[in-house]
Amino acid sequence: MAFENPSREEIKTILEQVGNIAVVGLSDKSDRTSHMVSYAMQKRGYRIIPVNPAAAGQTILGETCYASLAEVPEPVELVNVFRRSEYCAEVAREAAAIGAKILWLQQGIISQEAADIAQEHGMTVIMDRCIKVEDSVTQAVRKG
């Protein structure tokens, strides 16, 4: 069966209810898309938890960066992924292992294997969508 993202209304509900977002592949470089999107989401009131083994122990966007999802010392609701498709299945396994509720693959990232793994563990999956764009759209709808 072909993958289908949740409806805009379902995405709106997800974004209204989520409190923290672990960002896998969050760069410490401010000119990178992962950094810009995460900064914007942080300014919108979301708690951003950086996950990047190359920057583990550093501070990104004022938050401690972790090497893996397993090292994050608090529950994670949504895992936002800025990694190439071939790495997403492993991220999905890690997200399932920590009990995350949503796996979000950023715009341009598609992995049926990751989606299958996440869905098998009861997670909602969103692929090939920018979380910042979706948040902006739902904000516009709310203000309406």
Side-chain angles (χ1 to χ4, degrees), residues 87-110:
Y87 299 111
C88 290
E90 184 55 36
V91 174
R93 287 184 195 92
E94 289 181 26
I98 65 163
K101 306 280 187 259
I102 301 113
L103 179 70
W104 191 307
L105 306 185
Q106 274 297 128
Q107 189 168 347
I109 305 170
I110 299 169

Side-chain angles (χ1 to χ4, degrees), residues 39-131:
Y39 175 78
M41 295 302 288
Q42 189 179 57
K43 292 298 170 203
R44 292 273 318 114
Y46 295 95
R47 167 97 191 288
I48 300 299
I49 302 168
V51 178
N52 183 337
Q58 297 177 32
T59 300
I60 302 176
L61 297 174
E63 297 282 349
T64 300
C65 183
Y66 299 95
S68 69
L69 289 171
E71 292 182 19
V72 176
E74 62 190 88
V76 171
E77 297 172 74
L78 188 153
V79 175
N80 187 20
V81 184
F82 284 90
R83 299 283 324 269
R84 290 196 322 245
S85 297
E86 60 263 31
Y87 299 111
C88 290
E90 184 55 36
V91 174
R93 287 184 195 92
E94 289 181 26
I98 65 163
K101 306 280 187 259
I102 301 113
L103 179 70
W104 191 307
L105 306 185
Q106 274 297 128
Q107 189 168 347
I109 305 170
I110 299 169
S111 170
Q112 187 61 54
E113 183 182 5
D116 292 344
I117 292 164
Q119 288 172 332
E120 286 169 13
H121 288 89
M123 298 171 67
T124 299
V125 179
I126 300 165
M127 291 194 292
D128 194 23
R129 294 266 180 96
C130 177
I131 196 168

Side-chain angles (χ1 to χ4, degrees), residues 27 29-33 35-36:
S27 177
K29 297 174 177 65
S30 62
D31 63 337
R32 296 283 173 90
T33 303
H35 194 281
M36 291 183 278

